Amino acid sequence: LASSNSTSSSTNSSPGLDPRRANMSAIRGEVSNVSNASQRAATVFVYRGRLDWGRFLSDFRERFKVEEANLARKQRRFAQQQHPLVFYNRVPKCGSTSLLQYIDAASKLRGFLGDRARDSLLRNAGCVDGGNKTCRAGACVSQNKTCRTPERVSFDFHQSEDFDASHFHPAEPKMREMAASMVAQAKVHRSVFERHVHFIDFEAMGYARPVYLNLLRDPVSLRTSSFYFYRDCICNQRPARMVTRADHVVNFSHYHAGDEWCKRDWPRKSQELCALDVNGCYSNLAFCERALPSNALGGTVMIDFTCGMHPDCRGSLA
C-alpha cells in the first residue's frame, strides 16, 4: 500500500527498498472485489505490510450475513406471490436445450398432484362453474377461461412445440393471445413457460411483470452453432418419433421432432452443402446464403429476442 506522504510514494517507486519499511503505522483498508459474479466486496486489512486475517474474516462474515439476509428477503417476496409466472423466451442456439432439461427435472422433484389437489387449484382459479367443468385435451374450459390442468407439485413447465422461425415475431393480436394464455394458466398454479419468441412486454398490455429468463452466447459461437444446426438438419433429414424413457419419478413419452422442424428446407440438400464447414461457408458467403435459409447464420438473433415487439425493434429484423 502506498503511504499518503511523498516519502513513502518515492520509497515504493524505488526497486531496491523493502516495502515493509514504508511508513504504515496506521491500519489502512483496501476494498477488493472477491466475487465478480455476486459483486461481493470484502475489506482487506493490512497492518505493517501484512494481511490481518482475523480482521479480514470478521469483516467478510459480517458482509456475507448482510447479503444473505437480503437474498432471503428477496426469496420470501418471490414465494409470497400467489402464482408467480416465469417466462423464458429462449434465444435459439444459446444452450436452451440443456436449460430445458434442467427446468423439466426441477419441476418433478416434488412429484405430481393428485386429482383432489388439481380440482382445488382449478376451483380457486375459477375454472369450475357450479360444479361443472368441460375437459378438452387436458384443459378445463369454463366462463370463457382456458386453463391447462396443473400436474406437478413444485411448478408446471409449459413447453412450446412451435419452432417455426416465421413465428418468432408474431403480430400484436397473437402476442396478446399468448400473454393472456400464460397469465390465465399461471393463476391456476405456479408456472414456467418457454417459447422461441421475441421479448413480450406484459406490463405494456396491462399484466403484472413476470420473471424473465434467458441465456445469451458469444455471437461468433452462436453463428457457428446455428450454421451446423441448419446444415445437419437439411442433410440428415431424421423423421420425427415418440421417445419413451424413465426418470426417477415416472415413465413418460414425449415427441421428438427429429429434423422435421426444417422439413420445408430439405430440398436444399446437396453434396456441396453437406461437405461444407463453417469456415468454408464464410469464405464463400454468397453461396452459403443461397444454400441455407435466410436465418441460418444467426443474423441479429440476440438483439431481436431481447428488443421485443416495439416498432423500433423491427429495424434489426431486416
Side-chain angles (χ1 to χ4, degrees):
L1 289 177
S3 173
S4 58
N5 58 40
S6 59
T7 303
S8 295
S9 298
S10 59
T11 300
N12 281 342
S13 62
S14 302
L17 187 60
D18 189 340
R20 287 177 296 180
R21 296 181 182 177
N23 180 14
M24 301 180 67
S25 57
I27 297 175
R28 304 187 183 280
E30 180 179 283
V31 176
S32 174
N33 187 357
V34 297
S35 174
N36 289 332
S38 64
Q39 298 297 306
R40 181 180 295 120
T43 301
V44 181
F45 288 94
V46 178
Y47 179 67
R48 295 191 182 280
R50 296 188 180 184
L51 179 65
D52 188 332
W53 282 104
R55 291 178 179 272
F56 166 72
L57 292 175
S58 176
D59 182 81
F60 185 84
R61 289 191 192 99
E62 290 303 315
R63 291 174 180 270
F64 184 80
K65 286 178 182 178
V66 171
E67 291 198 13
E68 194 175 44
N70 290 337
L71 178 60
R73 281 195 292 271
K74 291 179 182 179
Q75 290 173 333
R76 283 195 297 271
R77 283 199 300 269
F78 181 79
Q80 286 168 359
Q81 296 181 46
Q82 187 64 24
H83 297 292
L85 187 162
V86 177
F87 178 42
Y88 175 26
N89 68 309
R90 195 179 173 192
V91 178
K93 308 312 300 168
C94 290
S96 60
T97 301
S98 299
L99 184 56
L100 294 187
Q101 293 173 350
Y102 171 80
I103 297 173
D104 187 59
S107 69
K108 300 173 185 174
L109 287 177
R110 294 173 60 192
F112 293 78
L113 293 164
D115 291 339
R116 182 176 298 179
R118 283 197 296 269
D119 288 344
S120 176
L121 287 170
L122 290 167
R123 190 176 298 109
N124 291 337
C127 282
V128 178
D129 183 15
N132 298 318
K133 64 180 180 180
T134 303
C135 295
R136 298 177 188 154
C140 170
V141 182
S142 176
Q143 299 176 346
N144 296 321
K145 296 180 180 179
T146 302
C147 306
R148 178 178 173 180
T149 304
E151 299 173 350
R152 305 173 187 186
V153 174
S154 298
F155 58 88
D156 281 331
F157 185 30
H158 305 276
Q159 300 187 61
S160 173
E161 295 181 357
D162 186 355
F163 306 107
D164 190 336
S166 65
H167 298 165
F168 289 175
H169 195 92
E172 184 175 347
K174 179 63 177 178
M175 174 186 64
R176 291 184 175 275
E177 177 187 330
M178 291 164 54
S181 175
M182 285 187 274
V183 170
Q185 293 180 73
K187 287 181 178 178
V188 180
H189 190 40
R190 293 182 298 270
S191 299
V192 176
F193 298 86
E194 70 82 16
R195 185 186 179 105
H196 283 310
V197 65
H198 296 169
F199 176 84
I200 295 177
D201 190 346
F202 282 72
E203 292 175 293
M205 293 182 284
Y207 299 115
R209 180 183 178 89
V211 176
Y212 290 103
L213 174 67
N214 224 318
L215 286 177
L216 301 180
R217 187 177 189 176
D218 174 77
V220 175
S221 297
L222 186 151
R223 286 180 175 237
T224 301
S225 178
S226 183
F227 165 78
Y228 287 113
F229 188 58
Y230 274 90
R231 188 205 66 175
D232 292 348
C233 182
I234 293 171
C235 295
N236 294 334
Q237 301 187 3
R238 297 169 299 177
R241 63 193 186 280
M242 291 299 296
V243 178
T244 302
R245 68 181 181 89
D247 65 9
H248 65 287
V249 178
V250 67
N251 294 336
F252 69 98
S253 298
H254 69 280
Y255 175 78
H256 190 284
D259 292 323
E260 293 198 16
W261 63 270
C262 74
K263 192 169 185 176
R264 64 183 178 186
D265 292 312
W266 284 4
R268 295 175 177 268
K269 182 176 181 179
S270 69
Q271 184 176 357
E272 189 175 6
L273 172 62
C274 296
L276 195 66
D277 64 11
V278 69
N279 292 325
C281 172
Y282 279 92
S283 296
N284 189 359
L285 192 56
F287 164 78
C288 202
E289 289 177 339
R290 290 194 306 270
L292 291 170
S294 59
N295 57 337
L297 298 182
T300 58
V301 61
M302 287 195 291
I303 297 175
D304 299 338
F305 272 75
T306 54
C307 187
M309 305 296 177
H310 191 276
D312 291 346
C313 301
R314 290 187 175 273
S316 64
L317 300 173

